[in-house]
Amino acid sequence: MRRRVVLILGLMTIGLWPHAVLAQGKYPDRPVRLVVPFPPGGETDLVGRLWALAAAAHLGGTIVVENKAGAGGAIGSTEAARAKPDGYTLLSGQTTTHVINPIAMAKPPYDALRDFVPIGVISTTPTTILVNPSVPASNLRELAALAKANPGKYSFGSAGSGTITNLTGELFKIQAGGLNIQHVPYKGGGPAIQDVIAGHIPMATLILSSTLLSHHRSGKLRILAVNSDERVRAAPDIPTAIESGIDGMRVQVFNAIFAPAGIPNEVLEALHQATVKAKREAVLRDGLEKAGAELVADSSPQKAARYIREEIARWTPIVKASGFKIE
């Protein structure tokens, strides 16, 4: 009997050992890696870097941003999902990675709900419809009329096949009356922006960012509309698509920080508290506003998970009705 008791106690000690070590150790004791599943220069990259900058001091460690682009954010997201759930690999995810991919991909390489735990939603941002200055259209009505008069002549760039920006372009084609516009996918918003400016493509449907606003104000490109219910505070001169008569163009993107499922509760709480404090920092608040993003001040892991489930439920019938699929 004594031997059995000792054996049971020994097994219990082994089972509790990792948690005991974690409780005694300090998190983080080495740099935290934040995976951004899109190239540098896009809105997801910007939000991730702003969060990392603001949260690092409150977390008491270093956060290193690493861009892992490709497959509409699926490559970087898959890598993060398969990482050890110890809080040292995080993901800067958004609507494409956690809503559109799960709905539109035939065989998603990760489960957006089961493989991740959200630390919190950081911001929401509308997508845009923009053109090269040489395109003779000053608003969406004129752009739609131009495309209808020249079927097959125009193309639109996006941040990649299967992204929310790709879906934005497809919705515009449908809502504007069935336009014949060819999709040109890029590996992120940054390369698409450069090709619009260079005149290699006439238009693009991208997430609003400080980079886009800077080029808009300098005249290098022209943002015709933001796809939100109201004009954004950072650019009150840019009308909404609804104002331009395209009523169905409501495409808002959320950005959130995720950890792999299975992360210890105390580590999740440390990241959540660092995020709460980061949202009070001017570097994050001002940076988001300049980019045309709206800060989501109140977002716990539980609220974020509920919000993402609601977004999946909202977008599922829209994506299915549009016939939008990711091969």
Side-chain angles (χ1 to χ4, degrees), residues 3-315:
R3 188 169 180 272
R4 287 181 61 193
V5 171
V6 171
L7 180 60
I8 291 171
L9 288 173
L11 290 172
M12 289 174 63
T13 303
I14 291 171
L16 292 172
W17 176 248
H19 299 282
V21 171
L22 181 62
Q24 293 170 6
K26 182 182 182 299
Y27 171 81
D29 61 7
R30 63 181 188 273
V32 173
R33 182 173 68 123
L34 177 67
V35 176
V36 175
F38 298 97
E43 187 257 1
T44 306
D45 181 64
L46 171 69
V47 175
R49 290 177 185 277
L50 287 173
W51 174 83
L53 185 63
H58 299 293
L59 193 60
T62 302
I63 301 175
V64 179
V65 177
E66 184 176 334
N67 296 86
K68 288 279 186 176
I75 291 176
S77 298
T78 302
E79 181 175 317
R82 295 174 180 171
K84 185 177 180 181
D86 55 5
Y88 288 97
T89 298
L90 306 175
L91 176 73
S92 180
Q94 42 105 295
T95 303
T96 292
T97 60
H98 281 71
V99 177
I100 304 305
N101 285 353
I103 298 170
M105 293 183 84
K107 294 181 179 180
Y110 58 89
D111 188 300
L113 297 177
R114 288 202 298 262
D115 291 345
F116 291 96
V117 175
I119 294 162
V121 176
I122 305 302
S123 63
T124 59
T125 316
T127 59
T128 65
I129 300 175
L130 57 100
V131 297
N132 178 277
S134 65
V135 175
S138 58
N139 56 57
L140 284 194
R141 288 195 193 92
E142 293 179 0
L143 180 62
L146 195 64
K148 285 180 180 177
N150 299 274
K153 178 181 177 181
Y154 289 92
S155 59
F156 76 93
S158 78
S161 294
T163 64
I164 190 68
T165 58
N166 179 186
L167 181 56
T168 298
E170 298 302 326
L171 282 178
F172 173 61
K173 288 160 61 176
I174 294 169
Q175 296 295 331
L179 303 179
N180 181 2
I181 304 175
Q182 182 69 33
H183 175 227
V184 181
Y186 286 82
K187 291 184 178 180
I193 292 170
Q194 294 307 314
D195 267 14
V196 172
I197 292 173
H200 298 314
I201 53 172
M203 62 178 286
T205 50
L206 300 172
I207 301 171
L208 188 63
S209 67
S210 54
T211 301
L212 277 185
L213 288 173
S214 175
H215 291 317
H216 171 77
R217 288 164 181 151
S218 69
K220 292 181 179 178
L221 54 77
R222 187 163 61 248
I223 301 175
L224 299 184
V226 291
N227 301 311
S228 52
D229 290 321
E230 299 178 353
R231 298 189 183 198
V232 298
R233 285 179 292 180
D237 60 307
I238 302 174
T240 67
I242 299 169
E243 290 178 75
S244 300
I246 314 295
D247 292 337
M249 290 304 300
R250 293 177 176 85
V251 188
Q252 197 125 292
V253 178
F254 72 79
N255 275 274
I257 305 299
F258 295 88
I263 183 174
N265 289 335
E266 50 266 56
V267 176
L268 178 63
E269 180 60 20
L271 287 164
H272 168 55
Q273 290 301 325
T275 299
V276 169
K277 294 172 183 176
K279 288 180 178 181
R280 300 173 189 153
E281 297 289 345
V283 64
L284 178 59
R285 300 178 70 94
D286 294 350
L288 291 175
E289 184 171 342
K290 288 177 182 177
E294 295 288 334
L295 176 74
V296 178
D298 182 19
S299 180
S300 66
Q302 296 76 21
K303 288 181 178 178
R306 184 167 58 250
Y307 172 76
I308 292 166
R309 286 194 297 269
E310 291 171 352
E311 281 294 279
I312 291 174
R314 182 175 75 89
W315 274 104

